[in-house]
Amino acid sequence: RVVARYRRDPANMVQILREIQEVCDWISPEAIDRLQTTLGVPRTKIEGVAGFYSFFYTAPRGKYRVLFSDNITDRMLGNRALMERLCNSLWVERGKVSEDGLVSVGKTACTGMCDQGPALLVNNLAIAGLTAERIDRIAELICDKVPLGDWPAEFFKVQDNIRRVDILLSADFQPGAALLAARARAPDEGLMASNMRSWREGLPSGIGGPVAVLDEIKRANLRGRGGAGFITGLKWEACRNAPLKTGQRRIVVCNADEGEPGTFKDRVLLAKYADLVVEGMTVAAYAVGATQGFVYLRGEYRYLLDHLNAVLARRRREKLLGENILGIPGADFDIEIHVGAGAYVCGEESALIESLEGKRGTPRNRPPFPVTNGYLDQPTIVNNVETFAAAAMIALKGGDWYAGIGTKHSAGTKILSVSGDCERPGLYEYPFGVSVRHVLADCGAKDPQAVQVSGPSGICVAEAEFDRIIGFEDIPTAGAFTVFDKRRDMFEVARNYVHFFQHESCGFCTPCRVGTSLLKNLMDKLHYGAGSPYDFSEIEKLNQLLQSMSHCGLGHTACNPVLDTIAKFRPAYEKRMNQQDFTPAFDLDRALAAARQMTGRDDAAAHLSSEHGGAT
Ligand code: SF4
């Protein structure tokens, strides 16, 4: 039934596997056998896809699969102690399945609940605001085998925590308003209708209608809100001008895979402003001549799926989506939601497209770019959730209005996801140009020493730089704004981020796969007190390797948190440089410790180093 619902299309492989797991708790060899037959896809390919995503299980992981969020803010809020408490209550070892096969407890990178952590996922549904009492109740529910649907509803309640609003978060948006405004930009109804009819074929250059909308987006100087800041109007224009082969169409993709630790703004936009986002996608479809759209929703936001599907269904009934939009024959555009399965790298647009096509989320070689050769080789635009929300407001109020907000080089507003050491974590929307100091005052940060802006791949802003501004001309950001007060050890912050990159490296290219592991080992070595001054040059060498040889941005930026914190918090590293001589990051003696313990052979002769009295 699942396969039939997805039209027996291998491009829906990720969704099919997800639904199979939701029903069967894991993806069994029998399920893969049946998929091989019904989809006509080689078994190795299905296994390759299932093995790529961290939320898919090809071995039983229990009826209840608990994953604790392990972002730095969860750590600061005591997630490790809570995880131990749950493991102890359930008699299960971390990372393992309980002996009765009922439950597994592990950790995942970040669940996008940094404003209300600590958090966990149980069977991919988020529970935030964890306390010891809540953990004890969860343990009871699991032991009593209570179905998730009967767990207390308040456990699954996610707060929006909107703290400061501006043009997007205050938008009292009437569904359809932006589309009507776009329609009004056509010089006459006849031209509008002909433009809408030719939506399917993609439009040549013309006057009014889609071209006018595109001009407004360009005039607004809207830049992508996913972090890279590419000019949205140019991206849309390139897609619109890309030739279509027979049977092809143009595609609009909303990238709602916000996996950067510390970011959660898209979660709130989709929960509370879904009409604004979907309308922005529809405006984009109109401007570029697309007929098919996708929302790629990160797996951690699975709880939003029913809500989003309800919004899409209502919009179809209201003729704001689907066939004959606004009642105009030929104006067709519809949206499907694809749910991710726990792969940070899928936030990269070409990896996301691979995942949408039912494959492993490996970033593609570029060029060609998605605007000409995207989803199933068709012209495709991929934009961030916030970009589409802004596009809807631009269609409604015009490019000049939007360009007048913010700074000369950064038009409009930016929504910041504020978390960490502050009294009021949550969403803050500001016109671009706001200073870091201003945001810190608004969120009630006491005694801050640093802010990590834009997540691990972003910038660590130290106290002396708090007058720097949020904007493409100074500090560009996808939205994360994580505050660290003076109690925090910035070395450990960087180490957490390095572990994140090592875990999330997709393994496709050797420099990143190996380089992130070496970097992690190096930071762990410093953590254990075995660092020496030589390690600074080792880190620099690794950075050069990752920068020059990695295939995608993850590898390019993996050393950023370390280099930034070395430059700004060097004493945190120097106090760990206890050795005079260089010691390799891989400590064979330490690695053998567990085996020695298991075999009961931990005498001096079994050790490798001469200082232990053994052979070197
Ligand atoms: Fe994968 Fe890392 Fe290579 Fe990117 S740089 S493709 S994440 S291995």
Side-chain angles (χ1 to χ4, degrees), residues 345 363 505-509 512-513 550-552 554-555:
V345 73
S505 168
C506 79
F508 172 72
C509 58
C512 173
R513 186 178 65 245
S550 295
H551 182 60
C552 82
L554 187 151

Side-chain angles (χ1 to χ4, degrees), residues 364-578:
R364 293 177 176 175
N365 285 328
R366 297 183 300 175
F369 292 95
V371 287
T372 54
N373 300 77
Y375 177 71
L376 299 176
D377 209 31
Q378 303 170 106
T380 301
I381 56 166
V382 182
N383 281 114
N384 177 262
V385 174
E386 189 182 348
T387 311
F388 283 121
M393 292 306 291
I394 293 165
L396 184 62
K397 297 198 171 187
D400 289 338
W401 164 78
Y402 192 83
I405 301 165
T407 68
K408 185 170 172 223
H409 299 289
S410 306
T413 61
K414 184 76 197 86
I415 302 174
L416 299 176
S417 310
V418 177
S419 65
D421 294 317
C422 62
E423 287 170 359
R424 294 176 293 280
L427 287 199
Y428 292 73
E429 183 187 11
Y430 295 97
F432 272 115
V434 67
S435 71
V436 170
R437 191 180 302 283
H438 188 119
V439 182
L440 287 169
D442 281 359
C443 70
K446 295 264 177 4
D447 221 11
Q449 66 169 323
V451 181
Q452 186 72 25
V453 183
S454 208
S457 60
I459 300 171
C460 180
V461 181
E463 194 173 359
E465 307 170 279
F466 284 171
D467 287 320
R468 292 180 66 180
I469 61 163
I470 303 296
F472 295 102
E473 60 270 59
D474 189 2
I475 306 177
T477 175
F481 190 100
T482 312
V483 184
F484 300 100
D485 69 22
K486 292 192 174 134
R487 294 169 299 160
R488 307 297 174 192
D489 181 343
M490 295 308 292
F491 168 82
E492 288 300 337
V493 172
R495 191 167 82 96
N496 176 281
Y497 290 158
V498 165
H499 276 240
F500 168 77
F501 283 127
Q502 187 270 339
H503 181 261
E504 295 299 334
S505 168
C506 79
F508 172 72
C509 58
T510 308
C512 173
R513 186 178 65 245
V514 176
T516 52
S517 289
L518 290 175
L519 188 62
K520 170 183 168 286
N521 292 346
L522 207 47
M523 292 294 277
D524 287 350
K525 187 181 105 176
L526 266 62
H527 169 80
Y528 294 125
S532 73
Y534 293 97
D535 291 321
F536 285 126
S537 62
E538 284 297 294
I539 289 168
E540 186 46 49
K541 276 189 227 160
L542 277 175
N543 180 45
Q544 282 171 14
L545 172 84
L546 283 157
Q547 289 268 5
S548 59
M549 305 296 284
S550 295
H551 182 60
C552 82
L554 187 151
H556 296 152
T557 57
C559 287
N560 284 7
V562 181
L563 296 175
D564 245 4
T565 45
I566 287 176
K568 294 166 187 174
F569 299 95
R570 196 175 178 97
Y573 286 78
E574 283 174 342
K575 74 180 183 191
R576 291 174 162 90
M577 303 290 182
N578 296 330

Side-chain angles (χ1 to χ4, degrees), residues 9 13 64 84 159 199 208 242 296 465 585:
D9 184 352
M13 179 73 78
Y64 299 92
E84 288 310 310
Q159 307 294 333
W199 195 332
Y296 189 94
E465 307 170 279

